Amino acid sequence: RKEVEQDPGPFNVPEGATVAFNCTYSNSASQSFFWYRQDCRKEPKLLMSVYSSGNEDGRFTAQLNRASQYISLLIRDSKLSDSATYLCVVIAYGQNFVFGPGTRLSVLP
Amino acid sequence: DVKVTQSSRYLVKRTGEKVFLECVQDMDHENMFWYRQDPGLGLRLIYFSYDVKMKEKGDIPEGYSVSREKKERFSLILESASTNQTSMYLCASSFTAGGGGTEAFFGQGTRLTVV
């Protein structure tokens, strides 16, 4: 089993739609969680950290469920500019960043 | 803003050549990483370093070595380039090895083609 797994893509959604991505991780000692965004042929960039209580940044909401070892990202009112690959990243204490394979999102006009 | 700079965006090298990929960060980060990214395989860790002159193997170190003589610079070396090392190479840096949870900052990537 891979350490971090994500929904297979691609997700093709119309503008204005709400879309949710899921991510599961296998290491119960994981402590820090992030969502990164990667545009085509560009480097990954931090989208948001994921906190235990859940957090929101504008149209983006991240949730963490430690018991189920599950992270989610919700994007509301999708924009064309949201089209990208979304990477789930997990860190266990004293370990390195473990990246999920990514989920590709295409927002269609 | 944190800046991680890789020396080249695109490189074309011949099989058997020794290749150097350079990465410099300007935020005094202790930790630096080299990844390669291939379609369908995601980001895979090649080597990382927690301090000057320290290095640790990642998941796929075979065919690669690294050098960290100064805190801000982390070099990836392909000892004898092969066609299966054609890939996007990404350098990253962070404040901690991950235990403290600070995020990784990436360079713009080097797309290496070995012919």
Side-chain angles (χ1 to χ4, degrees):
Chain A
R1 183 185 170 188
K2 290 184 179 177
E3 286 191 68
V4 179
E5 298 193 69
Q6 295 186 240
D7 281 349
F11 281 52
N12 298 315
V13 302
E15 262 187 299
T18 295
V19 61
F21 302 140
N22 301 318
C23 170
T24 56
Y25 59 94
S26 60
N27 187 343
S28 59
S30 298
Q31 291 193 314
S32 300
F33 310 90
F34 306 96
W35 283 102
Y36 275 71
R37 171 197 168 123
Q38 186 173 23
D39 293 300
C40 188
R41 296 184 170 268
K42 296 287 184 71
E43 74 273 22
K45 291 185 178 178
L46 181 69
L47 177 67
M48 58 197 303
S49 301
V50 186
Y51 303 121
S52 297
S53 54
N55 47 300
E56 190 174 306
D57 183 2
R59 298 181 293 108
F60 300 84
T61 300
Q63 298 277 356
L64 168 64
N65 184 324
R66 286 188 186 272
S68 302
Q69 295 181 199
Y70 168 98
I71 306 157
S72 66
L73 177 68
L74 184 77
I75 306 175
R76 290 181 298 278
D77 188 22
S78 300
K79 311 290 184 195
L80 295 175
S81 57
D82 293 334
S83 296
T85 296
Y86 291 83
L87 302 167
C88 174
V89 185
V90 172
I91 309 170
Y93 181 78
Q95 302 298 314
N96 285 302
F97 304 92
V98 181
F99 288 81
T103 300
R104 192 155 51 108
L105 171 67
S106 291
V107 181
L108 308 172
Chain B
D1 276 355
V2 173
K3 194 160 186 186
V4 181
T5 304
Q6 294 181 228
S7 51
S8 305
R9 287 297 302 272
Y10 300 96
L11 272 180
V12 179
K13 296 291 181 181
R14 295 194 181 277
T15 301
E17 275 193 78
K18 191 168 186 176
V19 181
F20 293 86
L21 302 182
E22 306 285 347
C23 176
V24 177
Q25 50 95 3
D26 65 0
M27 282 301 290
D28 204 34
H29 286 171
E30 295 88 358
N31 312 302
M32 297 188 75
F33 310 86
W34 275 106
Y35 294 88
R36 64 178 281 179
Q37 187 174 31
D38 301 286
L41 296 176
L43 278 150
R44 293 182 291 168
L45 182 63
I46 304 171
Y47 266 96
F48 59 98
S49 169
Y50 293 147
D51 203 349
V52 176
K53 297 192 185 294
M54 293 185 68
K55 58 186 178 184
E56 298 284 343
K57 292 180 180 179
D59 300 319
I60 51 164
E62 295 78 19
Y64 303 95
S65 62
V66 290
S67 172
R68 194 160 180 208
E69 295 296 318
K70 293 185 178 181
K71 191 174 186 180
E72 67 270 20
R73 187 179 297 269
F74 193 35
S75 303
L76 179 69
I77 304 152
L78 285 66
E79 298 293 343
S80 177
S82 63
T83 54
N84 64 12
Q85 292 178 310
T86 292
S87 186
M88 168 73 104
Y89 288 87
L90 289 156
C91 174
S93 70
S94 75
F95 271 119
T96 72
T102 63
E103 69 266 27
F105 297 86
F106 284 87
Q108 77 277 30
T110 297
R111 191 165 291 278
L112 173 68
T113 302
V114 183
V115 298

